[in-house]
Amino acid sequence: MMELLPLVILIVGIVVLRGHNLKIKQLEARVQELQNALAGKIPAADAGESIPAAYAAKQPLQDEPKVAIADAPNTGDPALVARETADMAEEEAAPSAAQASAQAKESLESTIGARWAVWVGGIALALGGIFMVKYSIESGLLSPGVRLALAALFGLALIAAGEVVRRRAAPVLNNAFRNAMIPGVLTAAGVVGLFGSTYAAHAIYEFIGPTTAFILLALISLATLGLSLLHGQALAGLGLLASMVTPALIASTAPRPSVLFGYLVLTWLATLLASRLRRWLIAPSLANGLLSFWPLLYIAFSPVVDLAPVTLSMLAMIGGTIFLWPGHYPISEAANKDTATALPGDMPKQVSAGTEWIAFLARQPLGMTLTAAIGALAVSLCLINYSLRHGYPIVDATFMFAAIVAAVAAFGAGRLHAAWATILSALVAVVGTSGVLTNWIAGTEPTATDGTASLQNTVLCEVLGLGALFVLIGAFFLRRFAKAEKPYAALWSLVMAATPLAIATVSFVNFGNWTLDWLHGLYGVGLALVLIALAEWQHRRDGEALNLPTNILAAGSFAAAAFALHTLAHHAIATILLPAVGIAYLLAGRLRNWPVLPWTMVAALVIAMGRIAWQPTIVDPSELGTTPVFNMLLAGYGIPAGLAVLAAFITRHSPSLRLRNALQALACFLVLLTIAILVRHATNGGVLNDAAPTLGEQSIYTLLAIGASATLMALDLSAASPVFRYGAMALGAISVFMILTLHLIGLNPFMTGESTGHIPFFNLLLLAYLLPAAAYGGLALFARSRRPPPYVAMLAVAAAVMAFAWATLSVRRFWQGEYIPFWNGFIQGELYSYSVVWLLIGIALLGLGARFEARSLRIASAVLVFIAIVKAFLIDMANLEGFLRALSFIGLGAVLIGIGLFYQKILTARKATG
């Protein structure tokens, strides 16, 4: 140690002498300036005139002016002298700027010599102190006490040297090398020496006890934080790190959490105050991270855990971040003021290239504010996890969790630069309460003997109260910032509506009575009323119908009302009342022109359809009954459908085309669904199941689709709407697809052998084929000249095909009886009857085509006649005998000749008129 002491003294002496030399040069320059003034090279103050300040500042001390003012013609005009002086100052400003730019660009030589040498020198000084102690131990030169005393004196000497350099050399150091931090490096090396000697006195030699060591280490750390006000943010980081490490270095058999976290909070508070004075951003971010890391270590490694000090430390961190630093300053503003009031020894605004990205990140919202929010929220989740795993009182843990989350939410509401705190607090609130309710409640059964029911109610009130706090905090934010920060106000409106609703939903799923739950129901009702009241308040303050926070709050109110309805109602009542709630909000839209209010009806109908899909019988199947039409299906499906029709009628003049289309589409769908489900119930003996429909049931569905298509077409003609227009055409196309796949193939009694009924004409064939044929014919006639020709032709051909199928199957039933499957074979009279009927139908289609000038019907007639011709030559010739064969061909020939004469007459008439 004694061998290295001269080297240390030499280094300190060089630094001190350099400061004195710079001071001497400054004095010499001042003397030269005065001599020049006396010699007349610079005009002295005369007759009340003064030297311009800009000239005195810009003129190099060692150079002569390019043009002496005294050499100018003495006109006696003071204004001329002042103007010439100003011009000369401007001429000298350009070289000065060029010199400054040249100094800003450091060479590799200056970087290594002026910066790295200082940093490495500081490390060397610290290592020198360690090596001195090591050498004295190995050589046995000095006793342990003397060694520790000398190490402490060495550290104090380095700190004193740093202060001397700061005071004497710092005012005249070139700004380009200020971040070499010679005073800060010397001070940091001295701090390391003091810290190491104190710790060795306790941990190695046991000269001092843990309490004394803790106090000394804490004082050294806090003193380092104080010195950082003079030497910059880097020294603050070192002092903070030493302060936070101190409790880990001092072992204790009975640690006291209150003392530990009290010390950590005081250290954090000292760092925050220093950062607030100097506008530091990196040091407080590091402080937030370290203070948040200690609770995790404490909970993970302590045999007995007290969570109260942990919670208070996190609340203190959030409170300090709200009120002290950054306080009400946005991060960007703080960054701009980073060195606005810096002391001479502070860190410069410009940093080296290696640390630019760190400074940039620290100046963003991901710096101070986010480290505080993430740290506190992570600790809050850790509290819940520890309670669930190790049996810590769940009521206490839930309360502490709610307090931390609410504090972070308040941080987000009180500071505009803390949007991430708002989002994260809402997410953690939902996740944390979900963990409590799903992981703890799922494994407990409430009983009156062990008090579990009371415990559950307490936890339930705590989690629901946390949701209510978000509403209160959001109202506070809207009151302060809604007008100035509309996007952020929209975010808070969403958070204050979605967070309590999500927490209540999770609570109801785990706790709730699904038949009738007054607690959750009243909570939902209260939330709905509060949110709609806040929406009205926000609307009156802003006055805009398109105000986003107002509409979000109104939508949240409807969601809360829907939640309350599910908790207070059961089965059919909830399904029926949901559209009623939607109608209430829709009618409220007449009082307040908020765009979201009519859309709540759309949401109500969608939710109601979701409930119907979840339970198609509306009530328990055993409670449904078998009475056709007049049962709970009529109410469960019919009332929502009726309210949907009413909503579509109310909004028929709405300026929103999408709203009108949505409500019209929902109304049409629900009406058709109601009729279809009643038909299904009636045709299946009062039972709703997933069995395949019969031909009779399917025929009713087809007729409903055709009728709905006609109804929508009529509505479109009276009140033009794309929903009515395209919906009508879609239903027509769907019905045609059903007859092709089901009526003619899948459910055809010729294929299935199903009974066609006992009555000759009024039977299944009438319902399944003739009525649809007539319906298609009427729909085609109605759509003619109102819909595209291909669509009208499709309907006409469908009518012809169904009529052909009815006639053909009726012929077979006449000859075969009630059952007409294909495996029964054919009779000669039956084969002849087919030809006659087909030809008659062809003639009828030809006449209708001529009457209505429908080319599609004439083509269908030609196709049918062609089928009859093919049948006559391929089937009748082979299977008919005698008189029937001759009669078949005679009739075919007569019909063909008649058709030819008919076409000749039509063509002749067309040429005559043409």
Side-chain angles (χ1 to χ4, degrees):
M1 178 176 180
M2 298 301 296
E3 295 175 356
L4 295 177
L5 186 59
L7 178 61
V8 175
I9 296 175
L10 177 63
I11 295 173
V12 174
I14 292 174
V15 175
V16 173
L17 289 176
R18 176 174 173 80
H20 285 298
N21 290 335
L22 292 174
K23 187 67 174 179
I24 292 172
K25 288 182 179 180
Q26 186 179 18
L27 294 175
E28 290 176 351
R30 181 60 179 167
V31 171
Q32 183 66 33
E33 181 183 354
L34 295 175
Q35 290 176 352
N36 293 337
L38 293 175
K41 294 183 178 180
I42 298 179
D46 185 25
E49 300 176 6
S50 61
I51 301 174
Y55 179 80
K58 301 291 184 180
Q59 184 69 14
L61 299 179
Q62 66 273 21
D63 296 337
E64 296 290 335
K66 293 182 179 180
V67 179
I69 298 177
D71 297 337
N74 189 2
T75 60
D77 186 5
L80 178 61
V81 176
R83 184 168 59 255
E84 290 177 348
T85 305
D87 293 340
M88 186 172 297
E90 291 177 357
E91 292 176 0
E92 295 298 322
S96 300
Q99 294 175 2
S101 176
Q103 291 176 355
K105 298 180 180 178
E106 289 187 49
S107 64
L108 179 61
E109 177 184 3
S110 63
T111 301
I112 296 175
R115 301 181 190 278
W116 294 1
V118 174
W119 299 334
V120 175
I123 298 174
L125 287 175
L127 291 177
I130 297 174
F131 291 154
M132 282 190 296
V133 176
K134 183 176 182 296
Y135 174 76
S136 64
I137 294 174
E138 293 176 350
S139 303
L141 299 177
L142 301 171
S143 64
V146 175
R147 289 195 296 266
L148 293 176
L150 290 177
L153 291 176
F154 177 68
L156 292 174
L158 290 178
I159 294 174
E163 179 63 16
V164 171
V165 172
R166 185 191 68 80
R167 291 188 177 186
R168 295 188 177 184
V172 293
L173 285 177
N174 194 321
N175 287 334
F177 299 103
R178 285 186 64 193
N179 62 348
M181 298 183 295
I182 294 176
V185 168
L186 292 174
T187 304
V191 168
V192 172
L194 286 176
F195 202 86
S197 60
T198 304
Y199 178 70
H202 164 69
I204 299 176
Y205 300 108
E206 298 182 353
F207 288 158
I208 56 178
T211 303
T212 305
F214 181 84
I215 294 175
L216 290 177
L217 292 176
L219 290 176
I220 294 171
S221 303
L222 294 176
T224 305
L225 288 175
L227 291 173
S228 66
L229 294 173
L230 303 175
H231 296 283
Q233 188 169 195
L235 191 61
L238 177 62
L240 173 65
L241 184 62
S243 301
M244 291 294 181
V245 171
T246 296
L249 298 177
I250 306 302
S252 176
T253 57
R256 297 174 60 186
S258 57
V259 175
L260 170 63
F261 286 100
Y263 163 77
L264 294 174
V265 169
L266 289 177
T267 301
W268 175 86
L269 185 60
T271 306
L272 203 68
L273 291 174
S275 302
R276 174 67 179 84
L277 292 174
R278 305 304 305 278
R279 299 293 194 269
W280 291 335
L281 299 175
I282 299 177
S285 300
L286 178 63
N288 293 338
L290 292 175
L291 183 59
S292 303
F293 187 64
W294 259 105
L296 305 180
L297 293 177
Y298 168 70
I299 294 174
F301 296 102
S302 296
V304 179
V305 173
D306 183 6
L307 298 182
V310 173
T311 304
L312 292 176
S313 65
M314 293 298 100
L315 294 178
M317 181 177 69
I318 296 299
T321 307
I322 294 175
F323 297 107
L324 293 180
W325 182 242
H328 64 279
Y329 293 100
I331 293 296
S332 58
E333 181 182 350
N336 294 333
K337 296 180 180 179
D338 191 20
T339 55
T341 58
L343 295 177
D346 200 357
M347 291 180 62
K349 197 171 186 177
Q350 297 178 347
V351 293
S352 62
T355 58
E356 282 183 355
W357 65 274
I358 300 177
F360 172 78
L361 290 177
R363 289 183 173 93
Q364 303 309 305
L366 296 178
M368 290 178 59
T369 58
L370 200 54
T371 52
I374 291 179
L377 294 175
V379 171
S380 68
L381 290 176
C382 186
L383 301 182
I384 293 295
N385 181 68
Y386 181 84
S387 175
L388 295 174
R389 289 179 176 272
H390 301 283
Y392 192 88
I394 189 66
V395 173
D396 297 343
T398 305
F399 178 80
M400 296 172 188
F401 165 80
I404 295 175
V405 172
V408 176
F411 176 35
R415 298 293 176 256
L416 295 177
H417 56 274
W420 280 106
T422 299
I423 299 173
L424 291 175
S425 63
L427 293 176
V428 170
V430 176
V431 172
T433 54
S434 299
V436 172
L437 299 175
T438 58
N439 295 329
W440 179 70
I441 301 302
T444 60
E445 292 294 336
T447 61
T449 56
D450 59 0
T452 307
S454 175
L455 194 62
Q456 288 184 355
N457 291 333
T458 304
V459 174
L460 181 59
C461 292
E462 288 178 344
V463 297
L464 294 179
L466 177 60
L469 283 176
F470 272 88
V471 178
L472 295 177
I473 295 171
F476 166 78
F477 175 86
L478 294 179
R479 180 177 176 273
R480 291 191 60 189
F481 303 115
K483 292 184 178 180
E485 297 290 335
K486 291 186 177 180
Y488 200 8
L491 171 63
W492 253 110
S493 300
L494 179 62
V495 167
M496 62 193 295
T499 305
L501 188 59
I503 293 175
T505 302
V506 174
S507 175
F508 176 69
V509 170
N510 289 275
F511 273 106
N513 183 347
W514 286 50
T515 302
L516 180 62
D517 193 318
W518 284 107
L519 179 60
H520 290 93
L522 294 177
Y523 183 84
V525 171
L527 180 62
L529 294 176
V530 169
L531 291 179
I532 198 66
L534 289 174
E536 173 66 17
W537 170 66
Q538 181 67 20
H539 170 73
R540 293 186 178 183
R541 295 183 67 209
D542 189 273
E544 297 181 6
L546 296 177
N547 182 265
L548 193 56
T550 300
N551 286 272
I552 292 175
L553 291 172
S557 174
F558 166 77
F563 167 76
L565 182 61
H566 281 81
T567 60
L568 297 175
H570 181 58
H571 291 315
I573 299 177
T575 306
I576 294 171
L577 291 183
L578 265 172
V581 174
I583 282 288
Y585 279 83
L586 176 64
L587 295 176
R590 294 192 167 189
L591 302 177
R592 290 290 181 265
N593 188 25
W594 302 341
V596 75
L597 290 177
W599 282 99
T600 57
M601 183 60 186
V602 176
L605 293 175
V606 171
I607 298 173
M609 289 191 299
R611 288 187 58 88
I612 290 173
W614 175 54
Q615 191 172 31
T617 57
I618 303 299
V619 294
D620 291 332
S622 59
E623 302 175 2
L624 180 58
T626 58
T627 304
V629 181
F630 298 102
N631 49 61
M632 283 304 299
L633 295 177
L634 180 62
Y637 287 79
I639 293 178
L643 292 176
V645 173
L646 176 61
F649 178 77
I650 293 174
T651 58
R652 66 190 183 280
H653 300 305
S654 172
S656 175
L657 178 61
R658 292 182 178 180
L659 174 65
R660 297 200 310 266
N661 293 341
L663 288 175
Q664 290 168 1
L666 289 171
C668 295
F669 176 78
L670 284 171
V671 169
L672 288 176
L673 181 62
T674 302
I675 300 174
I677 205 69
L678 292 175
V679 169
R680 177 72 172 173
H681 177 266
T683 56
N684 283 271
V687 177
L688 289 181
N689 51 40
D690 57 354
T694 61
L695 179 60
E697 182 182 349
Q698 182 59 48
S699 301
I700 297 176
Y701 297 150
T702 303
L703 291 172
L704 286 174
I706 299 172
S709 178
T711 303
L712 292 179
M713 191 184 306
L715 290 173
D716 181 51
L717 294 176
S718 61
S721 169
V723 172
F724 296 152
R725 184 180 310 115
Y726 297 112
M729 297 175 65
L731 284 174
I734 291 172
S735 64
V736 170
F737 178 77
M738 287 192 297
I739 65 168
L740 291 176
T741 56
L742 298 175
H743 290 248
L744 298 179
I745 300 176
L747 300 177
N748 193 333
F750 180 74
M751 300 290 183
T752 62
E754 181 183 356
S755 172
T756 58
H758 302 286
I759 304 175
F761 179 77
F762 299 98
N763 51 40
L764 180 61
L765 299 181
L766 174 68
L767 177 65
Y769 298 95
L770 184 57
L771 291 182
Y776 277 123
L779 185 60
L781 184 63
F782 186 40
R784 190 181 184 194
S785 73
R786 295 183 177 92
R787 291 292 179 264
Y791 175 72
V792 177
M794 178 192 71
L795 296 177
V797 171
V801 169
M802 294 301 285
F804 170 78
W806 174 79
T808 303
L809 294 175
S810 295
V811 169
R812 183 164 180 79
R813 187 189 183 284
F814 175 80
W815 292 97
Q816 297 285 343
E818 181 181 349
Y819 297 95
I820 58 173
F822 65 89
W823 54 81
N824 285 351
F826 295 90
I827 303 173
Q828 285 194 1
E830 178 185 350
L831 291 175
Y832 175 74
S833 300
Y834 290 144
S835 300
V836 174
V837 171
W838 291 354
L839 290 175
L840 291 176
I841 295 175
I843 295 172
L845 291 176
L846 181 61
L848 292 174
R851 170 68 179 78
F852 296 106
E853 296 183 359
R855 186 169 179 268
S856 59
L857 292 180
R858 296 197 299 270
I859 293 175
S861 171
V863 172
L864 194 57
V865 172
F866 177 76
I867 293 174
I869 294 173
V870 173
K871 174 183 175 294
F873 283 95
L874 295 181
I875 299 177
D876 292 357
M877 187 178 295
N879 293 282
L880 296 180
E881 298 177 356
F883 178 75
L884 290 179
R885 178 187 295 178
L887 189 62
S888 174
F889 278 88
I890 291 172
L892 177 62
V895 171
L896 292 177
I897 292 172
I899 292 173
L901 292 174
F902 182 78
Y903 269 101
Q904 290 177 8
K905 182 178 179 181
I906 292 176
L907 294 176
T908 302
R910 288 183 177 178
K911 289 181 179 180
T913 58

